[in-house]
Amino acid sequence: MGTVLTNNHYLFTSESVGEGHPDKLCDQISDAILDRCLELDPKAHVACETYSTTNLILVGGEIGFQDPNPELPKIIAKEAEQIARKVALDIGYDSAEKGLDGAHCEFINRLHAQSPDINQGVVGKGLDEFEGQQGAGDQGIMFGFACDETPELMPATLHYAHQLLLKATELRKNGTIAWLRPDAKSQVTIEYDGFKPVRIDAVVVSHQHDPDVEYDTIRSTIIEQIIKPVLEPTGLLDENTKYYINPTGKFVTGGPDGDAGLTGRKIIVDTYGGMGRHGGGAFSGKDPSKVDRSAAYMARYIAKNVVAAGLAKRAEVQLAYAIGVPYPVSIMVETFGTETVDRKKIETAVEKVFDCTPAGIVKTLDLKRPVYRPTASYGHFGRDGFSWEKTDKVEELKAAAL
């Protein structure tokens, strides 16, 4: 039965996937290899892709070290395998029965050097008019989003979906629910009144498990030990909230054995759960010269500061770039009618306060550090510890916009 809604009420749903989801396994391997490259050379240019299926992990893509030390490519060629295996084992993939044996599965390395045509535009050796300036690593459009639905200034649907799987991972790894296996997905559907969450309409959790666990045990345990502890404090659960737990009745075969994994396939999970627009570029495995990643972080940083400054309740920022060009070709700020000052004033303030050049983004957010593997599961946004989540431009924005 569907929920009958009236006036300005509607349902919105976001999904999350756990760190053991095959695509997230691949994202984490790609970002772990990126982190190691940045440890060896903070100026390294990396586009690392990972693929996994039954009994196989394959890494490929391009790595260009700017440091001329000839040993660096040899080091990463040697270490890529141990990095990939460690990530799989850290997640919990330690046997074929769980979906992958990280210690003993086949491993294939197809990493190679970066194209010199791309490199010359990034390092300022492209067209004469841009000589000496860091250009964007590719063309593209990037979006950032923030809203006041949660203290993290993230959409409630996505934030709660992530929190469910973080809780499940905690209980799996500390042995509280020992029969859980690494692969997992969640969805949270919220009823909104305009832009305000008013109740949780449905919760979906599909979690891989050992074969000898009864369905009733799985359902009751996930509801009582994962869903309710996470969602009851929100005050949004009610007697009509629907729970869909492992809706097929069985989820034993999972991980790369159940479904092949690939870097970059969970871009909506990684960002705003569909609540904000997405430019289409994936993040994991890419160094910060790739504006697919760095400019998306900058756009989130801008949007979050706009909302934190009280200039709007919702903000979406678009940045656009051309490969090799050392500045954005456009900047847009959308506030969905929630602005407290004229939107054009906000846009002008953003352009004044934030340096959105590729080089400026890297400097502002300090992105040439090995900080990327933690971003690769449970969302790149809305979590503490990342430079793009700071709200340190609030006062500058207010002064520029008011």
Side-chain angles (χ1 to χ4, degrees):
M1 291 290 293
T3 301
V4 178
L5 303 178
T6 60
N7 299 327
N8 203 30
H9 285 238
Y10 58 93
L11 298 179
F12 192 87
T13 303
S14 295
E15 74 158 341
S16 180
V17 298
E19 62 186 52
H21 186 281
D23 295 332
K24 282 289 132 198
L25 163 70
C26 293
D27 284 343
Q28 290 170 86
I29 291 171
S30 293
D31 271 339
I33 291 172
L34 166 63
D35 281 346
R36 180 56 177 146
C37 290
L38 293 176
E39 287 176 350
L40 295 170
D41 177 8
K43 295 182 180 180
H45 294 159
V46 181
C48 178
E49 311 290 345
T50 304
Y51 168 76
S52 185
T53 188
T54 302
N55 197 41
L56 172 68
I57 298 172
L58 182 153
V59 298
E62 300 79 46
I63 296 177
F65 289 106
Q66 306 309 298
D67 187 322
N69 183 349
E71 294 302 310
L72 298 187
K74 299 176 185 177
I75 291 172
I76 203 64
K78 180 180 179 181
E79 294 185 359
E81 179 173 355
Q82 67 189 59
I83 291 169
R85 293 189 186 280
K86 183 177 187 305
V87 170
L89 292 170
D90 286 349
I91 291 169
Y93 283 123
D94 53 13
S95 71
E97 289 73 23
K98 292 181 181 179
L100 187 74
D101 183 347
H104 302 103
C105 67
E106 182 182 2
F107 178 83
I108 299 173
N109 184 348
R110 291 293 182 268
L111 294 167
H112 58 85
Q114 184 189 41
S115 160
D117 297 346
I118 294 175
N119 183 70
Q120 71 180 20
V122 176
V123 300
K125 296 180 179 179
L127 296 178
D128 290 344
E129 62 184 297
F130 305 134
E131 180 70 29
Q133 303 178 73
Q134 179 181 336
D138 202 351
Q139 71 174 49
I141 56 175
M142 298 84 206
F143 287 95
F145 182 80
C147 60
D148 65 355
E149 295 176 21
T150 63
E152 295 79 12
L153 303 185
M154 287 289 288
T157 49
L158 180 64
H159 177 70
Y160 299 144
H162 285 326
Q163 293 302 308
L164 290 173
L165 295 185
L166 280 164
K167 183 66 172 179
T169 298
E170 174 192 344
L171 298 181
R172 171 174 64 88
K173 288 188 169 181
N174 68 21
T176 300
I177 310 178
W179 44 261
L180 290 177
R181 290 180 173 183
D183 201 352
K185 304 178 80 170
S186 68
Q187 279 186 182
V188 175
T189 300
I190 289 181
E191 179 182 337
Y192 282 81
D193 180 4
F195 292 139
K196 180 182 178 182
V198 294
R199 58 178 294 274
I200 294 174
D201 186 73
V203 182
V204 180
V205 175
S206 294
H207 210 301
Q208 188 188 12
H209 57 86
D210 288 348
D212 56 351
V213 187
E214 297 291 331
Y215 177 76
D216 288 346
T217 298
I218 295 169
R219 177 179 171 82
S220 62
T221 301
I222 288 177
I223 290 174
E224 297 301 325
Q225 296 192 41
I226 297 173
I227 294 175
K228 288 186 177 179
V230 170
L231 297 183
E232 280 185 339
T234 69
L236 297 174
L237 293 178
D238 63 25
E239 66 277 9
N240 294 316
T241 299
K242 298 175 284 291
Y243 301 98
Y244 301 96
I245 311 301
N246 284 14
T248 69
K250 182 180 180 182
F251 187 3
V252 173
T253 303
D257 189 37
D259 190 9
L262 188 65
T263 299
R265 283 204 298 201
K266 288 292 176 282
I267 58 177
I268 301 303
V269 171
D270 285 344
T271 52
Y272 307 104
M275 186 72 78
R277 285 177 282 194
H278 196 293
F283 300 157
S284 289
K286 297 177 181 177
D287 76 272
S289 74
K290 313 294 192 295
V291 285
D292 275 349
R293 182 172 214 160
S294 56
Y297 289 174
M298 190 64 163
R300 162 63 177 174
Y301 181 51
I302 295 168
K304 187 173 184 181
N305 275 271
V306 167
V307 174
L311 300 179
K313 291 180 175 293
R314 299 169 80 83
E316 184 177 72
V317 175
Q318 186 200 54
L319 303 174
Y321 295 85
I323 189 168
V325 177
Y327 46 77
V329 299
S330 70
I331 300 174
M332 181 277 292
V333 180
E334 172 60 70
T335 49
F336 308 96
T338 69
E339 64 274 8
T340 57
V341 300
D342 184 79
R343 189 175 64 84
K344 280 299 179 184
K345 288 185 177 181
I346 298 174
E347 202 165 82
T348 298
V350 163
E351 293 186 19
K352 178 180 179 181
V353 171
F354 297 94
D355 182 353
C356 293
T357 64
I361 292 171
V362 170
K363 181 179 179 180
T364 299
L365 299 180
D366 193 15
L367 295 179
K368 292 184 178 180
R369 298 173 296 127
V371 297
Y372 295 103
R373 183 183 165 188
T375 69
S377 49
Y378 311 112
H380 292 244
F381 308 120
R383 296 191 288 143
D384 292 337
F386 301 139
S387 58
W388 50 91
E389 290 297 313
K390 295 187 294 184
T391 53
D392 55 348
K393 297 294 185 181
V394 165
E395 296 306 321
E396 286 183 67
L397 272 174
K398 287 181 180 179
L402 299 177

